[in-house]
Amino acid sequence: MTGLAPHLSDESLTAIAVERTGSVTTPKGFRAAGLAVGIKASGNPDLALVVNDGPLQDAAAVFTSNRIFAAPVQWSRDASADGVLKAVVLNSGGANACTGKDGLADSAKTAVQVASGLDCAVGDVAVCSTGLIGVRLPMEALLSGVDQAVGQLSPQGGPNAAQAIMTTDTVRKMASYTSPDGWSIGGIAKGAGMLAPALATMLVVLTTDADVKPLALDTALKQATSVSFDRVDSDGCQSTNDSVILMSSGASGYAPDPREFATALAAVCRDLGLQLLADAEGAAHDIAITVKGAASLDDALEVARSIARNNLFKCAIFGNDPNWGRVLAAAGTTKAAFEVENLDVFFNGVGVYRQGAIGEDRSLVDLSARQVEVVMDLHHGAHQATVWTNDLTYDYVKENAEYSS
Amino acid sequence: MTGLAPHLSDESLTAIAVERTGSVTTPKGFRAAGLAVGIKASGNPDLALVVNDGPLQDAAAVFTSNRIFAAPVQWSRDASADGVLKAVVLNSGGANACTGKDGLADSAKTAVQVASGLDCAVGDVAVCSTGLIGVRLPMEALLSGVDQAVGQLSPQGGPNAAQAIMTTDTVRKMASYTSPDGWSIGGIAKGAGMLAPALATMLVVLTTDADVKPLALDTALKQATSVSFDRVDSDGCQSTNDSVILMSSGASGYAPDPREFATALAAVCRDLGLQLLADAEGAAHDIAITVKGAASLDDALEVARSIARNNLFKCAIFGNDPNWGRVLAAAGTTKAAFEVENLDVFFNGVGVYRQGAIGEDRSLVDLSARQVEVVMDLHHGAHQATVWTNDLTYDYVKENAEYSS
C-alpha cells in the first residue's frame, strides 16, 4: 500500500456531517435494548442487544489481530464469516477471555438464547464481551437477561445499548450520518481511549439501512477501520476482545455509490475513534500527529506511529514540553525515506525545527489546551497520514497499576 | 539467527566473577581522568578522558542505530572505523545533538585538543557527549578542560572518569573482571536506566590489556552488546548519542582464547547493563523477563521484548499486580511459534497460567521486592532469552514530563 483512495482522504472525511445524537437505531430496520441484568456487581447496565429486522441481513466484521483472542471473538468470527448476521448481543462486566473451552461454550449458549428469543439461526448471532480477563461469566444472570433484552427491543433502543456496554467509559459513545438521499449509518462504541484500555477492549456496532452489496460492505468496513480505529494509536497493545461489527438492513431501499457509502462509514468510525480518545481517563492531552511529505502512505504511518508510541514524547506532552528532540529521535528509528537535513517539526503550528536545524523559539508553543497538533514534514514525497494518541500521565499509570485483570 | 554460541549462554556469563570496584584503569596500560571544567552549571564533574598507552591500540565500537545521531557519534564512528584508538574524551552537560555542521566542528575541535595534548593523531581520538539535545557546547571551557584532563591522567583515574560522565545517574557505574591468567577487562558506564533516559544517552567505555586480534575484538564487542545492553529493553527508544567503545592495550602480554575473552567481556557488559537498570530513577521494580521453550532465539527475544515494551504490563508490575492477562496479550501480538493451549506463565516462580488455563492462585505471588522474575514457557522448542526492563511509575512520568530537552 503506497496511497489512499481519494474518497478516504482527510478532506473527504471531514466534509461528512457526523452527529453524536444518533446511534445504531437511527437507520431503519433496527431495534436495540440495553439494561442491567446482574453481570456487574455495581448494578449498572451490562447487557445490550442490537437486532436487524431486514429486509437484508448482510454483515461484515473485523476483530483483534491478537493471537490470544477471547471466546466471543472466536464465536463471532465464525458467525459473521458468511456475511449474514441477524443480531449482536454484547455484555460488559466480563471479557470471557482466557477461559478455555468452557468460555467458548458460554458464548455459544448466549447465542442460542438470543436465537431462541428471536426465532433465528444461532449462526446468525454475534457475541461480544468486555470486562475482566480470566473470569467466567455469570451465565444464569446473562441468559435470563437475554430474554429480558428481547422483550425490551425498541427502534429507539440505541442509546440504552450504548450505555450498557460501558466499562471504565465516563460517557457513552454514539455517532450517525444521514444522507440527503434517505439512507443512514449509525454506531455505538465502547472503550476508554485506546491509550488506557483498562478493561482492554474496544467494541463497536455499526448499522445501516443502505442497500449495499455484501462485498462492498466488507470492503467499506476494512477501509473505514484502516483510517479510523487503526489510527487511534497508543502503545500498540491490542486487546483480546476488540470487535467491530457492521450490519445492513437495506430498509431505506436506496443503494448509494459504494465509494460514497465507504466515505460516510469511515467518517462515522473516525468520529467514534476520536470519542474513545477523548474519554481516555488518564489522559490530559489528545494528540494528532500528522506526517506529511512522505514517499508513501506506509512511510507516513510508520513515522507517525513511531512518534505516537514513544513514551518519552508522551511524557513530554503531559509536561507541556514541545520536545522536538524526542520527535526526531522517534522518527530516526524508522526506515522511512527522508534526509535528516530536510526535516521540519511543528508543535501547534510553531516550526520549532526547520530544515534540519533549530527553528522558532520553543517558548512560542502553548501546549496548555487538551488538543495538541504535531506535524512532521519529511519533504520526500506527496503522501500524508494522521495518527491520534494521548499523553502519558500519572493517572494513566495509576489507573493501570491499580486495575487487576 | 536462531541460536546463541554456548560461550554466551546465561550459564557461561553468570560463572564469570565481575567486580564493581574496578574500572577502565584496572587493565594495565590505561590512564584516565575525570574533573569539573565548567560545562555543567552545577559545577559537578563533567569531563572524562581515557587514554590507551599501549603497546597495542586496537579498538572496536558500536553506536546508536538511530538515524538521527549526534555529532560526536558521527565523529567517533569515523575515528574508530580503522580499529585504532588512542583515547576517548567524554563530556556530560551537553549532548551536541541536532546541532548541525557547527556541532560536528565542535567534536572535531575537541579531538584536535586531545590529540595535541597527547601528541597522537586526531583520527585516533573518539568523542562522546551526553546531556541536552539541541544546544551547543561551551567550547572554551571544554577545550581548556581537555588540557587540564591531560595533566591529571592517572593509572588510578578510572573512578573519577566514571563520576564525570554522570547526568541523572545517582551512582557511578564501574565493573571489571580479572582473569587468573593475568589479563583483565574494565568498564565505566553512564545512564539512569534505559527506561528513563531523561538525558537520552547510554555511554560505555571498556578497556582490556588482553592481547586480542582486532577482528576478535570487534566480534567480541558485538556479541557482548547483543546479550547485555541490547537486552536491557525499555520503550525501544534509542537515543541520539548511545556509544560503546572498547580499547585494547595488550599490556598483559597474554592472548586469551577468543571465546574466553568474549564471555568475560559479555559478563562485564551485562553487569554494567544491570547497573543502568537498577539506577532507573523513576522505577520501583527491576523486571527480568525470560522466554523459554522457544523454537528459535529470535522467537524468544521477540516475545520477551513485546512483554517488556507493554505499558499495561509495566503499570501492573508497579501496582504489584501479577497480571498474566497482559503478558498473554503481549505475546499474542508476536509472530513467534507457539500454541495458545500450551503456554505457561510464572511470576516469581508461581505458575499463574498453566497449559493455557488459569493456574495457581495469583494471591500467592509477592511482588513487593524490587526484583521481579517473569517466565513464559512457549513449549515449542529449546531456545530461551532474558530481557530486562523496569516498571512504569509515577516517577517515570514525572521525570520525563518535567525534563526539557
Side-chain angles (χ1 to χ4, degrees), chain B residues 129-278:
Chain B
S129 299
T130 176
L132 292 172
I133 290 179
V135 179
R136 297 280 303 279
L137 291 169
M139 289 306 294
E140 199 172 331
L142 205 165
L143 296 181
S144 69
V146 165
D147 294 340
Q148 287 178 261
V150 170
Q152 294 187 18
L153 284 168
S154 145
Q156 286 81 41
N160 284 346
Q163 192 84 31
I165 57 176
M166 288 167 61
T167 55
T168 55
D169 308 60
T170 63
V171 293
R172 64 188 183 196
K173 285 95 180 171
M174 316 193 306
S176 67
Y177 166 74
T178 301
S179 158
D181 298 321
W183 58 273
S184 61
I185 295 174
I188 59 175
K190 176 265 148 181
M194 293 300 285
L195 235 193
L199 294 170
T201 297
M202 175 189 72
L203 298 183
V204 180
V205 179
L206 299 156
T207 57
T208 183
D209 52 15
D211 181 354
V212 183
K213 296 256 179 309
L215 187 64
L217 209 59
D218 190 58
T219 301
L221 184 61
K222 288 199 173 75
Q223 290 180 339
T225 55
S226 75
V227 296
S228 58
F229 305 118
D230 287 352
R231 299 226 183 145
V232 180
D233 210 291
S234 60
D235 31 26
C237 305
Q238 255 196 323
S239 102
T240 51
N241 290 57
D242 297 330
S243 305
V244 182
I245 295 174
L246 167 63
M247 297 188 288
S248 165
S249 70
S252 73
Y254 191 91
D257 172 78
R259 273 168 307 190
E260 184 189 351
F261 177 75
T263 303
L265 185 69
V268 169
C269 287
R270 186 175 280 196
D271 192 85
L272 288 170
L274 293 178
Q275 289 184 52
L276 296 179
L277 196 71

Side-chain angles (χ1 to χ4, degrees), chain B residues 18-371:
Chain B
V18 176
E19 291 176 45
R20 293 183 175 178
T21 45
S23 74
V24 285
T25 44
T26 297
K28 289 182 273 292
F30 291 93
R31 289 176 298 153
L35 64 166
V37 304
I39 304 171
K40 283 179 180 166
S42 64
N44 286 335
D46 46 20
L47 189 74
L49 182 61
V50 182
V51 175
N52 179 358
D53 290 323
L56 303 180
Q57 283 174 353
D58 294 326
V62 296
F63 299 96
T64 181
S65 61
N66 199 309
R67 291 165 61 194
I68 314 277
F69 50 83
V73 168
Q74 185 172 349
W75 174 269
S76 297
R77 200 174 261 148
D78 291 345
S80 62
D82 64 355
V84 177
L85 286 179
K86 168 72 181 174
V88 184
V89 59
L90 314 92
N91 75 275
S92 52
N96 195 11
C98 303
T99 45
K101 290 196 172 85
D102 292 339
L104 187 58
D106 289 344
S107 289
K109 283 177 200 162
T110 308
V112 166
Q113 195 81 1
V114 172
S116 160
L118 298 176
D119 196 20
C120 72
V122 65
D124 293 345
V125 178
V127 180
C128 299
S129 299
T130 176
L132 292 172
I133 290 179
V135 179
R136 297 280 303 279
L137 291 169
M139 289 306 294
E140 199 172 331
L142 205 165
L143 296 181
S144 69
V146 165
D147 294 340
Q148 287 178 261
V150 170
Q152 294 187 18
L153 284 168
S154 145
Q156 286 81 41
N160 284 346
Q163 192 84 31
I165 57 176
M166 288 167 61
T167 55
T168 55
D169 308 60
T170 63
V171 293
R172 64 188 183 196
K173 285 95 180 171
M174 316 193 306
S176 67
Y177 166 74
T178 301
S179 158
D181 298 321
W183 58 273
S184 61
I185 295 174
I188 59 175
K190 176 265 148 181
M194 293 300 285
L195 235 193
L199 294 170
T201 297
M202 175 189 72
L203 298 183
V204 180
V205 179
L206 299 156
T207 57
T208 183
D209 52 15
D211 181 354
V212 183
K213 296 256 179 309
L215 187 64
L217 209 59
D218 190 58
T219 301
L221 184 61
K222 288 199 173 75
Q223 290 180 339
T225 55
S226 75
V227 296
S228 58
F229 305 118
D230 287 352
R231 299 226 183 145
V232 180
D233 210 291
S234 60
D235 31 26
C237 305
Q238 255 196 323
S239 102
T240 51
N241 290 57
D242 297 330
S243 305
V244 182
I245 295 174
L246 167 63
M247 297 188 288
S248 165
S249 70
S252 73
Y254 191 91
D257 172 78
R259 273 168 307 190
E260 184 189 351
F261 177 75
T263 303
L265 185 69
V268 169
C269 287
R270 186 175 280 196
D271 192 85
L272 288 170
L274 293 178
Q275 289 184 52
L276 296 179
L277 196 71
D279 197 25
E281 275 182 48
H285 291 92
D286 297 343
I287 313 168
I289 299 160
T290 299
V291 173
K292 52 197 223 182
S296 69
L297 179 62
D298 279 351
D299 272 11
L301 278 172
E302 186 190 359
V303 174
R305 283 193 203 287
S306 171
I307 298 167
R309 291 177 185 176
N310 188 292
N311 279 352
L312 299 173
F313 165 73
K314 281 148 70 138
C315 286
I317 297 295
F318 173 53
N320 294 337
D321 176 9
N323 195 320
W324 52 264
R326 290 169 181 179
V327 173
L328 290 176
T333 63
T334 70
K335 293 183 165 50
F338 63 77
E339 284 78 48
V340 176
E341 58 269 28
N342 292 339
L343 299 177
D344 292 336
V345 177
F346 299 82
F347 277 79
N348 285 347
V350 179
V352 286
Y353 193 73
R354 299 300 299 272
Q355 297 181 291
I358 301 170
E360 292 179 74
D361 192 329
R362 43 188 289 138
S363 69
L364 298 173
V365 181
D366 178 5
L367 296 178
S368 58
R370 185 174 176 99
Q371 306 298 327

Side-chain angles (χ1 to χ4, degrees), chain A residues 324 346 349-354 357-365:
Chain A
W324 53 263
F346 299 83
V350 180
V352 287
Y353 193 74
R354 300 300 300 270
I358 300 170
E360 292 179 74
D361 193 328
R362 46 186 286 138
S363 67
L364 297 173
V365 181

Side-chain angles (χ1 to χ4, degrees), chain B residues 364-381:
Chain B
L364 298 173
V365 181
D366 178 5
L367 296 178
S368 58
R370 185 174 176 99
Q371 306 298 327
V372 173
E373 192 183 68
V374 175
V375 175
M376 182 173 230
D377 195 332
L378 304 183
H379 289 291
H380 206 285

